[in-house]
Amino acid sequence: MADVGRFKPYIKLLILVLILGSAALIVRVTPVGEYVSREGIASAIGTVRGAAWAPVVFVIVYATATALALPGSALTITGGALFGFGFGALLNSIGANIGANAAFLLAKALGREGVERLGGKRIEGLNRATVKHGLFGLLILRLVPLVPFNALNFGSGLTGLKWRDYAIATVVGILPGTLVYTFFADALIQGSTQASQDARTRLWIAAGLFLMLSLVPLVARKLGFRLSAQSSSEVSP
């Protein structure tokens, strides 16, 4: 029994890896992948538009995909295209937050203890930095997306970060990007279906916002290099 207890953290970590690996494999080798591709999403837009059940199904799909570390940016754009800017942004935010919190809790329940055993002192240093910076540090990483969304979800769960801090930082931090992606998708649809000056203006504004958002990580890397280097030295044993 003692031997089983000693290996339990590693078994749980293996289960986490198998869950995420299986999800990625299913998307890659089964017809499920067709539904999350750009072509599948474009087809879904025409199929479910206006259906009463569409918002609920969309949130469930979005949350599930995020919880399993599947790409969510295409779903965010789909939300804007399907439901417009206002309602689409709301549904995108709900789906992304549910999925992100599920990923965090899944990583913490199955992976944290095993990673701590494997990482030793390095993980202890990371935990100290996480406790010290907590909500604010994660909020900066959310607002300035230097770390991929899914990686940050699971990575946060593997540290000592409190769930409350994670949830607050996620709600606030992903909002700007969600709004820009949703507005871009809605403007793109409006621009392709309407020939009015207003639709074209919205499309140009959306393109500008999208470009600005895509440049944020590059600017942050140039301006925050010293800060990043300093933070890394604090974490190192």
Side-chain angles (χ1 to χ4, degrees):
M1 292 295 293
D3 290 338
V4 174
R6 185 175 61 182
F7 288 106
K8 186 176 179 180
Y10 304 112
I11 294 173
K12 291 163 63 177
L13 180 59
L14 178 61
I15 292 173
L16 176 63
V17 173
L18 289 175
I19 290 173
L20 300 182
S22 298
L25 186 64
I26 288 172
V27 170
R28 181 176 293 273
V29 303
T30 70
V32 173
E34 298 177 4
Y35 294 100
V36 296
S37 66
R38 293 182 180 180
E39 294 77 9
I41 291 172
S43 175
I45 291 175
T47 303
V48 305
R49 185 185 295 276
W53 45 265
V56 176
V57 172
F58 176 78
V59 169
I60 292 173
V61 171
Y62 199 133
T64 302
T66 303
L68 296 176
L70 300 178
S73 57
L75 286 168
T76 304
I77 294 175
T78 302
L82 275 172
F83 306 107
F85 173 61
F87 194 37
L90 175 63
L91 296 178
N92 281 334
S93 296
I94 293 173
N97 277 282
I98 292 175
N101 280 274
F104 174 85
L105 295 174
L106 184 65
K108 188 169 289 292
L110 295 179
R112 182 186 173 192
E113 192 176 357
V115 169
E116 285 182 341
R117 295 277 186 92
L118 292 172
K121 292 184 178 181
R122 289 180 178 272
I123 297 300
E124 291 178 6
L126 178 60
N127 282 332
R128 287 195 299 269
T130 301
V131 172
K132 179 180 179 180
H133 299 289
L135 187 153
F136 181 74
L138 180 61
L139 180 60
I140 295 299
L141 290 175
R142 289 296 196 194
L143 292 171
V144 184
L146 294 173
V147 181
F149 180 68
N150 287 331
L152 194 55
N153 294 340
F154 285 91
S156 298
L158 298 176
T159 70
L161 183 67
K162 295 180 180 179
W163 172 76
R164 181 189 62 185
D165 292 342
Y166 172 84
I168 294 173
T170 299
V171 168
V172 178
I174 69 173
L175 186 58
T178 299
L179 292 175
V180 170
Y181 272 88
T182 308
F183 183 78
F184 176 79
D186 181 46
L188 193 63
I189 292 296
Q190 296 295 330
S192 64
T193 58
Q194 301 178 14
S196 65
Q197 181 62 37
D198 180 62
R200 288 193 292 269
T201 300
R202 282 168 55 86
L203 187 57
W204 279 109
I205 293 174
L209 291 172
F210 191 75
L211 179 61
M212 289 174 59
L213 186 67
S214 66
L215 292 176
V216 167
L218 178 61
V219 174
R221 285 191 182 96
K222 290 185 176 296
L223 296 180
F225 176 76
R226 292 182 180 179
L227 179 61
S228 299
Q230 182 179 355
S231 300
S232 298
S233 63
E234 291 179 358
V235 173
S236 299

